[in-house]
Amino acid sequence: MNIVSRAVHWFGLSSSWTGVDGIPNRVGEHLYYSGLSLLIAALIALPLGLFVGHTGRGAFLAVNSAGAARSLPTVGLVGLTVVVFGIGLTPTLLPLVALAIPPILVNTYAGVRQVDGQLRDAANGMGMKGWQVLFQVELPVALPLIILGLRTAAVQIVSTATIAAYVGLGGLGRYIFDGLARREYEVMVGGAVLSVLLALGTEALFVGIQRLIVSPGVRQRALAK
Protein backbone atom coordinates (compact mmCIF):
# COMPACT_ATOMS: atom_id res chain seq x y z
CA MET A 1 0.00 0.00 0.00
CA ASN A 2 1.59 3.30 -1.09
CA ILE A 3 1.62 6.45 0.98
CA VAL A 4 -1.40 7.99 -0.78
CA SER A 5 -3.54 4.90 -0.18
CA ARG A 6 -2.46 4.81 3.45
CA ALA A 7 -3.35 8.49 3.85
CA VAL A 8 -6.80 7.89 2.35
CA HIS A 9 -7.22 4.94 4.71
CA TRP A 10 -6.24 7.15 7.66
CA PHE A 11 -8.92 9.68 6.71
CA GLY A 12 -11.46 6.84 6.72
CA LEU A 13 -10.66 5.65 10.24
CA SER A 14 -13.22 6.61 12.88
CA SER A 15 -10.37 7.16 15.34
CA SER A 16 -9.08 9.97 13.08
CA TRP A 17 -12.27 11.94 13.70
CA THR A 18 -12.79 11.52 17.44
CA GLY A 19 -10.99 12.45 20.64
CA VAL A 20 -8.32 15.01 21.41
CA ASP A 21 -6.25 13.93 18.42
CA GLY A 22 -9.24 13.83 16.07
CA ILE A 23 -9.37 15.97 12.94
CA PRO A 24 -12.25 18.25 14.13
CA ASN A 25 -10.40 19.07 17.36
CA ARG A 26 -7.08 19.70 15.59
CA VAL A 27 -8.76 21.90 12.97
CA GLY A 28 -10.47 23.84 15.76
CA GLU A 29 -7.14 24.40 17.53
CA HIS A 30 -5.55 25.50 14.27
CA LEU A 31 -8.34 27.97 13.59
CA TYR A 32 -8.09 29.31 17.15
CA TYR A 33 -4.35 30.06 16.85
CA SER A 34 -4.85 31.52 13.37
CA GLY A 35 -7.89 33.64 14.24
CA LEU A 36 -6.33 35.05 17.40
CA SER A 37 -3.11 35.93 15.57
CA LEU A 38 -5.02 37.63 12.74
CA LEU A 39 -7.15 39.59 15.22
CA ILE A 40 -4.12 40.89 17.12
CA ALA A 41 -2.30 41.79 13.90
CA ALA A 42 -5.37 43.59 12.53
CA LEU A 43 -5.83 45.57 15.76
CA ILE A 44 -2.25 46.79 15.42
CA ALA A 45 -1.86 47.23 11.66
CA LEU A 46 -5.27 48.56 10.56
CA PRO A 47 -5.34 51.70 12.75
CA LEU A 48 -1.68 52.38 12.01
CA GLY A 49 -2.17 51.93 8.26
CA LEU A 50 -5.25 54.17 8.24
CA PHE A 51 -3.45 56.88 10.22
CA VAL A 52 -0.30 56.81 8.11
CA GLY A 53 -2.27 56.63 4.87
CA HIS A 54 -4.55 59.51 5.82
CA THR A 55 -1.93 61.85 7.25
CA GLY A 56 1.20 60.73 5.41
CA ARG A 57 3.11 60.96 8.69
CA GLY A 58 5.67 58.25 9.36
CA ALA A 59 4.98 56.56 6.01
CA PHE A 60 8.65 55.85 5.24
CA LEU A 61 9.29 54.35 8.69
CA ALA A 62 6.08 52.29 8.76
CA VAL A 63 6.40 50.83 5.27
CA ASN A 64 10.10 50.03 5.62
CA SER A 65 9.63 48.52 9.07
CA ALA A 66 6.90 46.31 7.63
CA GLY A 67 9.24 45.30 4.82
CA ALA A 68 11.94 44.41 7.33
CA ALA A 69 9.46 42.32 9.34
CA ARG A 70 8.78 40.21 6.23
CA SER A 71 12.36 38.97 6.31
CA LEU A 72 12.17 37.61 9.87
CA PRO A 73 12.64 33.81 9.90
CA THR A 74 9.51 32.36 11.51
CA VAL A 75 11.11 29.26 13.03
CA GLY A 76 14.02 31.32 14.35
CA LEU A 77 11.58 33.77 15.92
CA VAL A 78 9.74 30.85 17.54
CA GLY A 79 13.00 29.62 19.03
CA LEU A 80 13.82 33.07 20.36
CA THR A 81 10.40 33.55 21.95
CA VAL A 82 10.62 30.10 23.55
CA VAL A 83 13.88 31.17 25.20
CA VAL A 84 12.30 34.41 26.44
CA PHE A 85 8.76 33.29 27.33
CA GLY A 86 9.04 29.51 27.66
CA ILE A 87 6.76 26.88 26.16
CA GLY A 88 3.19 28.05 25.58
CA LEU A 89 0.87 30.08 23.39
CA THR A 90 3.00 33.25 23.25
CA PRO A 91 5.87 31.70 21.22
CA THR A 92 3.27 30.67 18.64
CA LEU A 93 1.32 33.93 18.49
CA LEU A 94 4.24 36.36 18.28
CA PRO A 95 5.76 34.97 15.04
CA LEU A 96 2.32 34.66 13.44
CA VAL A 97 1.40 38.24 14.38
CA ALA A 98 4.77 39.46 13.07
CA LEU A 99 4.08 37.58 9.83
CA ALA A 100 0.60 39.09 9.43
CA ILE A 101 1.27 42.76 10.23
CA PRO A 102 3.26 43.69 7.07
CA PRO A 103 0.63 42.82 4.41
CA ILE A 104 -2.19 44.38 6.45
CA LEU A 105 -0.23 47.56 7.19
CA VAL A 106 1.17 48.07 3.70
CA ASN A 107 -2.11 47.35 1.91
CA THR A 108 -4.11 49.59 4.25
CA TYR A 109 -1.63 52.42 3.78
CA ALA A 110 -1.56 51.93 -0.01
CA GLY A 111 -5.35 51.69 -0.19
CA VAL A 112 -5.85 55.02 1.55
CA ARG A 113 -3.05 56.81 -0.31
CA GLN A 114 -4.33 55.76 -3.74
CA VAL A 115 -7.70 57.48 -3.20
CA ASP A 116 -8.23 60.13 -5.88
CA GLY A 117 -7.25 63.56 -4.55
CA GLN A 118 -10.33 65.07 -6.16
CA LEU A 119 -12.53 62.96 -3.87
CA ARG A 120 -10.70 64.35 -0.86
CA ASP A 121 -11.00 67.90 -2.16
CA ALA A 122 -14.72 67.44 -2.74
CA ALA A 123 -15.18 66.07 0.78
CA ASN A 124 -13.21 68.95 2.28
CA GLY A 125 -15.25 71.38 0.20
CA MET A 126 -18.42 69.93 1.73
CA GLY A 127 -17.05 70.79 5.17
CA MET A 128 -16.16 67.25 6.25
CA LYS A 129 -13.69 66.93 9.10
CA GLY A 130 -10.55 64.82 8.80
CA TRP A 131 -12.02 61.73 10.44
CA GLN A 132 -15.15 62.02 8.29
CA VAL A 133 -13.04 62.12 5.13
CA LEU A 134 -11.17 59.04 6.32
CA PHE A 135 -14.16 56.89 7.24
CA GLN A 136 -16.74 58.11 4.71
CA VAL A 137 -14.57 58.70 1.64
CA GLU A 138 -11.14 57.08 1.87
CA LEU A 139 -12.01 53.86 3.72
CA PRO A 140 -14.78 52.69 1.34
CA VAL A 141 -12.51 53.26 -1.67
CA ALA A 142 -9.56 51.57 0.07
CA LEU A 143 -11.56 48.47 1.10
CA PRO A 144 -10.46 46.21 -1.80
CA LEU A 145 -6.78 46.66 -0.94
CA ILE A 146 -7.43 46.41 2.80
CA ILE A 147 -9.27 43.13 2.39
CA LEU A 148 -6.51 41.90 0.10
CA GLY A 149 -4.02 42.59 2.89
CA LEU A 150 -6.19 40.76 5.42
CA ARG A 151 -6.62 37.86 3.00
CA THR A 152 -2.89 37.59 2.38
CA ALA A 153 -2.18 37.72 6.11
CA ALA A 154 -4.87 35.14 6.90
CA VAL A 155 -3.60 32.65 4.32
CA GLN A 156 -0.01 33.10 5.51
CA ILE A 157 -1.06 32.57 9.12
CA VAL A 158 -3.13 29.45 8.39
CA SER A 159 -0.29 28.03 6.32
CA THR A 160 2.29 28.72 9.03
CA ALA A 161 0.27 27.94 12.19
CA THR A 162 1.57 24.37 12.04
CA ILE A 163 4.52 25.74 14.04
CA ALA A 164 2.27 25.58 17.12
CA ALA A 165 3.14 21.89 17.34
CA TYR A 166 6.83 22.85 17.42
CA VAL A 167 6.32 24.34 20.89
CA GLY A 168 4.10 21.54 22.16
CA LEU A 169 0.68 22.92 21.26
CA GLY A 170 -1.98 21.40 19.02
CA GLY A 171 -3.32 22.22 15.59
CA LEU A 172 -2.72 20.46 12.29
CA GLY A 173 1.03 20.67 12.80
CA ARG A 174 0.60 17.96 15.42
CA TYR A 175 -0.04 15.44 12.64
CA ILE A 176 3.02 16.58 10.69
CA PHE A 177 5.48 16.61 13.60
CA ASP A 178 4.14 13.49 15.32
CA GLY A 179 3.77 11.60 12.05
CA LEU A 180 7.36 12.35 11.15
CA ALA A 181 8.64 11.41 14.62
CA ARG A 182 6.73 8.10 14.63
CA ARG A 183 7.33 7.43 10.94
CA GLU A 184 3.60 7.38 10.36
CA TYR A 185 3.90 9.10 7.03
CA GLU A 186 0.21 8.72 6.19
CA VAL A 187 -0.59 10.89 9.23
CA MET A 188 2.00 13.44 8.14
CA VAL A 189 0.56 13.57 4.61
CA GLY A 190 -2.96 13.84 6.04
CA GLY A 191 -1.95 16.82 8.18
CA ALA A 192 -0.30 18.51 5.19
CA VAL A 193 -3.40 17.97 3.03
CA LEU A 194 -5.65 19.40 5.75
CA SER A 195 -3.38 22.45 6.08
CA VAL A 196 -3.54 23.10 2.33
CA LEU A 197 -7.33 22.69 2.27
CA LEU A 198 -7.72 25.07 5.21
CA ALA A 199 -5.54 27.68 3.49
CA LEU A 200 -7.59 27.36 0.28
CA GLY A 201 -10.79 27.65 2.30
CA THR A 202 -9.48 30.80 3.97
CA GLU A 203 -8.69 32.30 0.57
CA ALA A 204 -12.20 31.51 -0.68
CA LEU A 205 -13.75 32.96 2.48
CA PHE A 206 -12.07 36.34 2.04
CA VAL A 207 -12.96 36.44 -1.66
CA GLY A 208 -16.58 35.96 -0.59
CA ILE A 209 -16.29 38.65 2.09
CA GLN A 210 -14.92 41.11 -0.46
CA ARG A 211 -17.83 40.44 -2.80
CA LEU A 212 -20.28 41.02 0.04
CA ILE A 213 -18.97 44.24 1.56
CA VAL A 214 -17.25 46.04 -1.32
CA SER A 215 -19.62 47.90 -3.63
CA PRO A 216 -19.54 46.78 -7.30
CA GLY A 217 -18.42 50.24 -8.44
CA VAL A 218 -15.42 50.29 -6.12
CA ARG A 219 -14.60 46.68 -7.01
CA GLN A 220 -14.61 47.41 -10.75
CA ARG A 221 -12.51 50.52 -10.18
CA ALA A 222 -9.96 48.43 -8.26
CA LEU A 223 -9.86 45.81 -11.02
CA ALA A 224 -9.39 48.53 -13.65
CA LYS A 225 -6.28 49.69 -11.83
Side-chain angles (χ1 to χ4, degrees):
M1 189 183 295
N2 61 35
I3 188 66
V4 175
S5 299
R6 287 161 57 191
V8 171
H9 176 71
W10 177 76
F11 275 110
L13 295 174
S14 60
S15 58
S16 299
W17 297 89
T18 57
V20 176
D21 202 37
I23 292 172
N25 185 63
R26 292 305 186 199
V27 170
E29 292 172 338
H30 201 95
L31 289 174
Y32 171 69
Y33 305 143
S34 301
L36 185 57
S37 300
L38 182 63
L39 176 62
I40 295 171
L43 289 175
I44 295 170
L46 282 175
L48 183 58
L50 290 172
F51 172 78
V52 173
H54 178 67
T55 64
R57 298 174 187 170
F60 179 82
L61 179 61
V63 172
N64 282 278
S65 297
R70 291 177 191 266
S71 63
L72 292 174
T74 304
V75 175
L77 194 55
V78 170
L80 180 62
T81 52
V82 166
V83 171
V84 176
F85 298 102
I87 298 295
L89 186 60
T90 302
T92 298
L93 292 183
L94 283 180
L96 294 179
V97 170
L99 183 69
I101 285 177
I104 299 174
L105 174 58
V106 171
N107 278 55
T108 302
Y109 162 76
V112 175
R113 293 307 294 175
Q114 57 88 37
V115 174
D116 194 330
Q118 292 181 345
L119 290 177
R120 292 194 186 93
D121 292 340
N124 290 326
M126 293 170 62
M128 285 188 177
K129 299 183 183 299
W131 64 270
Q132 290 176 314
V133 174
L134 173 60
F135 289 104
Q136 296 181 30
V137 177
E138 294 174 335
L139 183 57
V141 177
L143 264 183
L145 273 179
I146 293 174
I147 295 175
L148 176 61
L150 289 168
R151 186 175 84 194
T152 303
V155 172
Q156 288 180 341
I157 287 175
V158 168
S159 302
T160 313
T162 51
I163 61 170
Y166 185 73
V167 292
L169 297 180
L172 296 176
R174 197 76 271 154
Y175 294 133
I176 297 172
F177 283 92
D178 291 349
L180 182 62
R182 298 194 298 249
R183 296 189 178 183
E184 295 175 352
Y185 298 118
E186 68 278 11
V187 176
M188 186 175 68
V189 170
V193 168
L194 288 169
S195 298
V196 171
L197 291 176
L198 200 58
L200 292 175
T202 302
E203 176 85 14
L205 174 65
F206 275 87
V207 170
I209 290 173
Q210 180 167 339
R211 288 185 176 276
L212 282 175
I213 69 174
V214 177
S215 67
V218 173
R219 193 162 61 237
Q220 289 173 5
R221 185 172 179 272
L223 289 174
K225 288 188 175 184

